[in-house]
DNA sequence: TATAAAGTCTATAAATATTATAGGGTAATT
DNA sequence: AATTACCCTATAATATTTATAGACTTTATA
């Protein structure tokens, strides 16, 4: 399951996407709209900024804004950023690979093979769907 | 990511699958083989038994054994049993549905639509692959 | 240039979920 | 009858997630 952090990130991105006409949007406005703790959301927006998805402006009249075209923000990117691996096992993660501690041999592991398939099916959707696809529906 | 509980369940099932020639297998043997805490494994095997996947025999000479044909044990079943929902959002879970608290309308939620796709792609693999597919590889 | 508005940063607390342990009880086999 | 091994409930330890606090920096504008 996606963490709240990731869900909040999607909410925030959706909100920012809907308000692209405005130069900036306040954290406060987003946190009110979705009932998210202001400070918690702050951290999330910062991460999105560091990842190059959002820009920000300090001071009065400041706030956050989308720096990328919604169609260039793959859902997989957001999930990996806030939640970490998409794969169901560390040994099949593309971005967060780790060997399974209790596993003797990946080559002989039947689960490994299947989970690679699952990962690829998931990524097939999550890499190709973007923020733009989410905005469309709303 | 799959929990240790689920991974242990797969290990145990694999072990039992490999030793179908024997009438029963001791918890102890499985826990030794994979370095799993005996008591923790006990709980997992019990759940698998309650789900009708394993059978057990008490007393001397007792132990656990596979009650089903490996090809009839879908991976999805094991994951749902030990880990809960496979879907990435509660609002798209087939077996553990819950509305998202912060979501105003599922019909208008763009994430919802995409996550249904992701779920279906995952299930396409996990429902159709079984314990037998894992055993094959080992 | 003072002030208020707004993001930045680091640390920590609270809550929750996961993993593991303990120990007694019960059933079945020899 | 004794041993063996499953069954069950409760609780402790650990890790992760979620949330909060507060001081600091930057910026607009009155």
């Amino acid at each position: 399951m996606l963490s709240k952090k990731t869900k909040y990130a999607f909410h925030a991105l959706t909100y920012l996407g809907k308000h692209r006409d405005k130069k900036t949007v306040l954290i406060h406005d987003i946190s009110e709209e979705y009932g998210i703790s202001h400070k918690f959301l702050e951290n999330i927006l910062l991460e999105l900024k560091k990842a190059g998805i959002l820009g920000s402006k300090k001071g009065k009249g400041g706030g956050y804004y989308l720096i990328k075209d919604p169609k260039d923000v793959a859902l997989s990117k957001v999930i990996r950023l806030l939640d970490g691996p998409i794969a169901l096992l560390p040994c099949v993660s593309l971005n967060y690979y780790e060997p399974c501690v209790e596993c003797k041999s990946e080559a002989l592991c039947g689960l490994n093979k299947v989970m690679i398939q699952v990962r690829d099916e998931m990524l097939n959707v999550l890499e190709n769907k973007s923020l733009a696809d989410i905005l469309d529906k709303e």
Side-chain angles (χ1 to χ4, degrees), chain A:
Chain A
M1 292 278 221
L2 299 183
S3 68
K4 284 196 180 181
K5 226 171 170 175
T6 300
K7 288 207 261 179
Y8 291 168
F10 279 123
H11 283 138
L13 288 168
T14 302
Y15 191 93
L16 287 162
K18 279 195 207 163
H19 294 82
R20 258 177 303 161
D21 49 314
K22 293 175 188 148
K23 272 186 189 142
T24 62
V25 168
L26 299 182
I27 295 181
H28 179 262
D29 292 349
I30 304 173
S31 76
E32 284 246 305
E33 176 76 9
Y34 299 100
I36 306 171
S37 142
H38 180 101
K39 280 293 192 177
F40 194 48
L41 184 57
E42 219 177 76
N43 288 319
I44 295 166
L45 294 178
L46 256 182
E47 288 198 67
L48 290 169
K49 184 193 170 180
K50 283 177 188 160
I53 297 170
L54 300 183
S56 69
K57 216 179 147 220
K58 288 185 177 180
K60 194 169 187 179
Y64 280 98
Y65 52 91
L66 258 181
I67 213 170
K68 287 202 173 186
D69 191 313
K71 73 177 188 319
D72 294 328
V73 182
L75 302 187
S76 57
K77 180 157 188 175
V78 178
I79 294 175
R80 284 185 176 128
L81 196 62
L82 284 310
D83 249 8
I86 288 170
L88 297 185
L89 291 178
C91 63
V92 302
S93 171
L94 295 173
N95 289 257
Y96 298 86
Y97 172 83
E98 273 180 63
C100 289
V101 274
E102 71 280 11
C103 182
K104 279 142 197 160
S105 150
E106 252 166 54
L108 291 177
C109 177
L111 251 197
N112 181 278
K113 306 290 165 298
V114 180
M115 291 306 166
I116 286 175
Q117 275 188 56
V118 175
R119 178 201 70 197
D120 287 341
E121 296 295 335
M122 294 177 81
L123 288 181
N124 204 25
V125 179
L126 295 173
E127 299 266 61
N128 292 309
K129 294 285 181 182
S130 69
L131 184 51
D133 295 297
I134 292 181
L135 285 171
D136 273 357
K137 304 270 162 46
E138 316 217 346

